[in-house]
Amino acid sequence: MAGGVNGSNMTDPDRIWNEASVRLRAEIGDGPFSSYIAPSAVRVDSSGQLILVTPTAYARDWVRKNALRRMNELWLGLDGLNRRLDVRCRAEVGSAPPALAVIAGNVLDATPRLAAFASPTVPPIADGARAVRAAGLQDRLTFDSFVEGQGNAFALAIAKQVASWADGHFNPVFFCGPYGYGKTHLLNAIAWEAQRLRPEAKVVYLTAERFLSTFVKAMQDRSTAAFKESLRSADMLLLDDVQFVGGKTSTQEELLSTLTALIEDGKRIVFSADRAPMALTEVEPRLRSHLAAGLTCPVEAGDRELKIAVAQNRLKALSALGVVQGEAAPEVLAQLVDRTPGSMRELEGAVNTLAAAAGSRLATVSVDEASILLGAALRGGPERRITVDEIQKTVADHFNLKQADLLSERRTRSVARPRQMAMYLCKQHTTRSYPDIGRRFGGRDHTTVLHGVRKIEELMAQDDQIARDVEALTRKLRG
């Protein structure tokens, strides 16, 4: 239980969600929590109904099936007003009207991936920046708040060059790297700065998911011409998480056409993805080739020094908001960083948890007390790299198989399903590409790995036993 919460008689949704999130993560495990709960946010509609808004219908269905009842048990145990949570996906909510305000992003994921729902408290901006604001950029993701380190210095320099509208630029610019290390931050910062420098320019920022949903709706409404014009009239187009267009032929064709038209007109284009363009094997070759034609710019995982700077930066921001007072002791920050391996989002989430629990006592919190306050938000040891070999051995042992069985040609259900589960875990917990994973599983083709990963993702939302197995294996792998 996170500290700093006054018993169970609370009415502040921020604090309720903070504590409920810590408990829920401890109960369902990091894997399912990070996949389905962390990217979501709690909102309230005009009737006062609390809603957990998930980024996709798939995530909504998983939450509804596997976590909603427990979430409501936790919420009702903490909420003095006895309110209940409902769950909807972003498409059901649509573009948020004034009555649907953000209550709280997940405290364990400081930058929720709900870019289409920007904070309503955006400072006044020029008319020319309306396209940026409507696209849902996050106010705090600017160059000023970006922490530079060894792994992202080159990416930051390129981002600033793009934002300055400098001549002699590469086009498109493609930022790639692990989830949660600053790609979305850079795209947001580029858009804000580019619009500030040229208020009359049309800057369009979209997540790939919003690109897909908007395109599908345009086809349904027979308004594809207007959709195309809205993109091709842009002076700068920024598309985040482009890997999610993979496997959808019509949207890939539209993206390729848009990309070609903008390049021919000399417009600026920026993309991000979790892999380099040519590693996006689910994307059609022609589109991959165009994505790779400009500058591919890696955003690498941060070292310890950068992570400590990020934690300090986040605490300064929370101090300016009045959430905390004073500064955390260096040894407290060091412990927090060492016991929070993974993305910067997870680190910022742990900082948020510490801040919410400590408040005005932050400067006096000791290492031992911080460990108690953070509880399940901290993992139990220093960062450890999980390998394909370790995953294979862990899965084989879990299902009473031999590691060689997972690499064999056997296709019986008793072997094929654990093999797919191992492939899924390799994709989740290593940086290996689909082709590389396939090679490590007896020389299988990358399409076999992709099918296996997607099959497990599908089954986790339908089969409680599969979800439990994945959760148990994730716990074993993370110690």
Side-chain angles (χ1 to χ4, degrees):
M1 178 173 176
V5 178
N6 300 322
S8 61
N9 186 23
M10 297 188 295
T11 59
D12 179 8
D14 273 322
R15 303 187 73 180
I16 297 170
W17 182 236
N18 288 351
E19 178 152 345
S21 294
V22 172
R23 295 188 189 183
L24 188 64
R25 185 170 197 158
E27 291 181 14
I28 71 175
D30 285 334
F33 187 95
S34 297
S35 297
Y36 303 107
I37 309 298
S40 306
V42 176
R43 295 170 169 272
V44 61
D45 66 14
S46 56
S47 66
Q49 171 67 52
L50 295 171
I51 303 166
L52 180 74
V53 182
T54 64
T56 65
Y58 177 80
R60 174 204 63 198
D61 294 342
W62 187 94
V63 170
R64 191 170 283 162
K65 181 178 178 65
N66 298 285
L68 185 59
R69 183 174 67 178
R70 181 54 180 156
M71 289 169 67
N72 269 303
E73 289 174 353
L74 291 171
W75 193 281
L76 289 170
L78 296 167
D79 188 2
L81 299 179
N82 294 318
R83 294 167 292 188
R84 297 184 66 86
L85 277 173
D86 192 11
V87 59
R88 301 180 201 166
C89 67
R90 186 195 302 182
E92 291 174 317
V93 174
S95 57
L100 192 64
V102 176
I103 290 179
N106 192 324
V107 71
L108 295 178
D109 187 335
T111 312
R113 299 186 67 79
L114 289 177
F117 297 115
S119 166
T121 59
V122 180
I125 52 178
D127 289 345
R130 285 176 181 166
V132 170
R133 182 176 179 180
L137 296 175
Q138 299 176 57
D139 297 352
R140 73 184 189 90
L141 301 185
T142 65
F143 286 130
D144 288 341
S145 62
F146 191 88
V147 181
E148 181 178 355
Q150 186 174 355
N152 62 31
F154 176 64
L156 178 59
I158 294 298
K160 289 182 176 180
Q161 181 182 352
V162 173
S164 70
W165 302 94
D167 292 332
H169 62 283
F170 296 96
N171 210 22
V173 171
F174 195 104
F175 294 101
C176 60
Y179 174 83
Y181 282 97
K183 301 186 302 296
T184 294
H185 194 146
L186 287 175
L187 264 65
N188 274 250
I190 291 170
W192 287 122
E193 181 67 4
Q195 195 72 80
R196 185 187 70 81
L197 292 174
R198 289 193 182 176
E200 77 287 351
K202 182 177 180 181
V203 176
V204 177
Y205 168 90
L206 291 170
T207 62
E209 184 187 8
R210 189 166 180 83
F211 174 86
L212 292 171
S213 62
T214 306
F215 179 61
V216 170
K217 189 174 188 305
M219 289 194 297
Q220 293 171 343
D221 296 343
R222 298 182 179 180
S223 58
T224 54
F227 171 78
K228 292 178 181 180
E229 174 60 24
S230 69
L231 294 183
R232 297 181 191 183
S233 61
D235 296 295
M236 180 182 289
L237 172 65
L238 304 101
L239 189 63
D240 205 2
D241 285 330
V242 73
Q243 72 269 12
F244 291 128
V245 303
K248 303 168 180 67
T249 303
S250 60
T251 49
Q252 289 189 65
E253 290 176 352
E254 177 55 35
L255 179 56
L256 179 58
S257 298
T258 298
L259 178 58
T260 302
L262 289 173
I263 289 177
E264 288 177 351
D265 290 342
K267 304 301 178 64
R268 314 298 174 101
I269 308 168
V270 186
F271 293 107
S272 81
D274 60 355
R275 285 155 284 154
M278 299 312 293
L280 298 174
T281 52
E282 63 272 40
V283 173
E284 293 180 354
R286 280 197 310 151
L287 179 55
R288 282 207 309 268
S289 178
H290 278 72
L291 294 174
L295 173 64
T296 298
C297 189
V299 182
E300 299 175 358
D303 56 18
R304 188 171 185 268
E305 184 178 349
L306 176 61
K307 289 184 175 182
I308 289 176
V310 168
Q312 291 172 328
N313 191 61
R314 183 59 182 157
L315 283 173
K316 287 180 182 177
L318 293 171
S319 178
L321 294 172
V323 177
V324 295
Q325 295 177 19
E327 297 181 358
E331 58 271 22
V332 169
L333 285 180
Q335 176 195 239
L336 186 149
V337 166
D338 290 340
R339 294 185 60 190
T340 314
S343 74
M344 295 297 185
R345 283 199 177 87
E346 293 179 7
L347 174 60
E348 286 196 345
V351 173
N352 289 348
T353 304
L354 176 63
S360 61
R361 300 186 301 108
L362 179 64
T364 62
V365 171
S366 66
V367 170
D368 290 340
E369 187 179 4
S371 182
I372 295 171
L373 291 176
L374 285 159
L378 290 182
R379 297 180 187 170
E383 185 169 355
R384 183 176 60 84
R385 187 174 182 179
I386 299 173
T387 66
V388 172
D389 183 69
E390 182 182 359
I391 291 172
Q392 290 174 343
K393 289 178 180 177
T394 302
V395 172
D397 181 67
H398 183 80
F399 289 101
N400 295 316
L401 298 170
K402 296 178 180 179
Q403 187 177 358
D405 292 331
L406 302 180
L407 279 60
S408 72
E409 295 299 320
R410 292 176 59 188
R411 297 184 180 180
T412 58
R413 175 67 66 85
S414 61
V415 174
R417 193 67 80 221
R419 181 186 296 128
Q420 290 175 332
M421 205 170 292
M423 291 175 175
Y424 168 83
L425 290 167
C426 286
K427 195 58 190 166
Q428 292 294 310
H429 300 292
T430 77
T431 58
R432 302 285 183 179
S433 64
Y434 286 113
D436 197 12
I437 294 172
R439 285 191 290 271
R440 301 293 296 274
F441 279 81
R444 286 175 162 79
D445 186 80
H446 73 274
T447 57
T448 302
V449 181
L450 178 60
H451 170 75
V453 171
R454 289 181 173 174
K455 186 64 177 178
I456 295 302
E457 289 175 342
E458 175 187 338
L459 289 174
M460 285 174 65
Q462 302 171 356
D463 190 319
D464 289 341
Q465 185 58 54
I466 293 289
R468 285 194 293 270
D469 283 334
V470 170
E471 177 188 344
L473 287 164
T474 299
R475 288 178 182 273
K476 289 180 181 178
L477 290 169
R478 289 180 168 171

